[in-house]
Amino acid sequence: MKKKLLIAVSSFDKNNYYTHLLKKKFDIIKNKSGKKFNSNQLSNAIKNVEYIIAGTEIYDRDILAQASKLKHIYRLGVGLDNIDLDFCKKRNIKVSISKTNLTNAVVEHIIALMFASQKKIIYHNNLIKEGKWGKTLTSSVLNKKIGIIGFGRIGQGLYKFLKLFDADFFYYDLIKSQNKKIKFKSIRFIFKTCDIISLNLSSSKKSINLINGKLFKIAKKNLLLINTSRGSLINETHLYNFLKKNNTANACLDVFQKEPYNGNLKKLHNIILTPHISSFSQETRIKMEKDAFQQISKIKFKLN
């Protein structure tokens, strides 16, 4: 009898290449909704499943308790804050993450958002498409004060790219970097001082709503805030109030507290929103899906 595999990631293997191969070994349950599973959908899908290719849906104690046969969760990505690792350890459920390096893809997305916002690319594009010809002053990244909150692989990759610009850099992380060319500062200092801030922290109980009204109160009125890490980091109501009050401030969000996002931030002109796609490049996705296939099936193969 074949073992059951849940492919919870709705965007996994659009061409069904790996799914076809996996069917030789597994009975497959696939998320065909086009959206992230909510708790009810996941509860129904996870029963009697032994293997899961997981996304960012929540695998808490209550959900996992319903999967009595579960042996292995493969996370299509690198964050594990959506999985109750303590419960998995008690139940001897193996949890693995993608071996694919997502740094370049995410850094490229941060850079794209940064320049699209500073240069008002989307605004002017929409203006022309509406039959209007108007010019609004843009802003340069050169000589700005840039704060990087979270200085792991992505934060360091971002700094490596941006240091080509003559900017002042500050970072915050739980672990101090050995790089003496960038200054370690508190989050409060960064919000008070910096023109551009990129959030690259992982999620934890302590980081929920870490970026809130207290920090927006001391932030520069022309702040550009970029978040491609975790939606839970920002109090979205406080961000909305800040952006609505300050027309010169901008934000770029790729992640949200609840996805798909359908909140008030959509009403604002000074924000760019993308649907959690920072690592969703074609090149990175091919590597991630190949890795998922190999880790789940343990079949070695060569791509055509």
Side-chain angles (χ1 to χ4, degrees):
M1 183 179 292
K2 291 181 180 180
K3 297 175 181 178
K4 291 185 182 295
L5 166 66
L6 170 63
I7 301 178
V9 184
S10 64
S11 59
F12 182 82
D13 192 24
K14 289 295 187 181
N15 295 321
N16 286 315
Y17 177 70
Y18 297 114
T19 304
H20 176 73
L21 293 173
L22 288 166
K23 282 182 178 179
K24 297 177 182 179
K25 193 170 182 178
F26 299 97
D27 281 330
I28 295 178
I29 302 169
K30 198 168 184 180
N31 178 2
K32 297 180 180 180
S33 69
K35 299 178 181 179
K36 182 169 71 174
F37 272 150
N38 61 36
S39 58
N40 289 333
Q41 291 170 322
L42 188 56
S43 293
N44 292 328
I46 203 172
K47 294 173 182 176
N48 299 317
V49 162
E50 292 160 279
Y51 298 86
I52 299 174
I53 296 177
T56 57
E57 57 279 351
I58 304 299
Y59 294 87
D60 57 23
R61 184 177 298 266
D62 292 336
I63 295 291
L64 292 170
Q66 300 181 55
S68 59
K69 297 182 180 180
L70 187 58
K71 296 178 180 178
H72 185 182
I73 299 175
Y74 171 85
R75 169 73 170 89
L76 194 73
V78 294
L80 292 173
D81 49 280
N82 60 318
I83 301 173
D84 189 328
L85 298 178
D86 291 334
F87 187 87
C88 288
K89 186 176 181 180
K90 290 178 182 177
R91 289 288 184 91
N92 293 317
I93 299 169
K94 179 181 178 181
V95 179
S96 59
I97 61 174
S98 175
K99 296 177 181 178
T100 304
N101 190 339
L102 309 180
T103 301
N104 289 341
V106 177
V107 168
E108 286 175 0
H109 196 74
I110 297 170
I111 296 298
L113 291 172
M114 183 180 298
F115 283 97
S117 180
Q118 292 292 93
K119 297 301 180 183
K120 302 188 186 302
I121 301 296
I122 296 174
Y123 170 78
H124 287 106
N125 170 73
N126 291 342
L127 210 63
I128 291 177
K129 288 182 176 180
E130 292 169 2
K132 302 173 184 176
W133 187 268
K135 298 180 182 181
T136 298
L137 283 173
T138 66
S139 185
S140 176
V141 174
L142 195 70
N143 297 321
K144 290 294 190 295
K145 291 182 172 63
I146 300 175
I148 301 174
I149 298 177
F151 205 62
R153 287 192 299 181
I154 292 170
Q156 291 176 42
L158 180 62
Y159 168 70
K160 184 178 180 181
F161 184 95
L162 288 176
K163 70 180 182 180
L164 298 173
F165 296 83
D166 190 13
D168 290 328
F169 292 95
F170 308 94
Y171 82 96
Y172 169 82
D173 200 280
L174 297 176
I175 301 174
K176 287 192 177 183
S177 172
Q178 298 300 313
N179 190 332
K180 304 298 183 182
K181 294 182 180 180
I182 183 168
K183 302 169 186 174
F184 176 88
K185 295 291 182 180
S186 68
I187 293 177
R188 183 177 175 83
F189 175 91
I190 288 172
F191 265 82
K192 191 173 183 179
T193 306
C194 291
D195 306 292
I196 301 171
I197 298 173
S198 175
L199 304 180
N200 309 293
L201 284 172
S202 58
S203 180
S204 68
K205 291 181 180 179
K206 292 183 179 180
S207 68
I208 295 174
N209 289 326
L210 177 69
I211 310 304
N212 54 47
K214 292 181 180 179
L215 292 174
F216 291 130
K217 190 174 181 179
I218 62 172
K220 288 189 173 182
K221 304 308 179 186
N222 63 342
L223 171 69
L224 168 58
L225 178 65
I226 303 170
N227 186 17
T228 59
S229 51
R230 288 293 181 267
S232 60
L233 296 176
I234 298 178
N235 184 308
E236 291 171 354
T237 300
H238 293 178
L239 174 61
Y240 173 83
N241 293 336
F242 173 71
L243 293 175
K244 188 175 181 181
K245 184 178 179 180
N246 300 290
N247 289 327
T248 56
N250 290 271
C252 302
L253 303 184
D254 184 54
V255 288
F256 307 88
Q257 290 190 355
K258 184 178 180 180
E259 298 177 2
Y261 180 75
N262 193 31
N264 287 332
L265 290 168
K266 291 168 60 176
K267 302 175 183 178
L268 300 176
H269 72 280
N270 50 343
I271 189 167
I272 298 174
L273 310 174
T274 55
H276 205 147
I277 57 169
S278 64
S279 64
F280 200 59
S281 70
Q282 180 177 345
E283 295 81 2
T284 301
R285 196 67 177 193
I286 288 172
K287 293 177 182 178
M288 288 175 68
E289 292 184 354
K290 176 183 175 181
D291 183 55
F293 173 80
Q294 290 180 323
Q295 287 203 46
I296 289 292
S297 69
K298 301 299 180 185
I299 298 172
K300 294 184 178 180
F301 68 105
K302 292 182 180 179
L303 288 172
N304 294 329

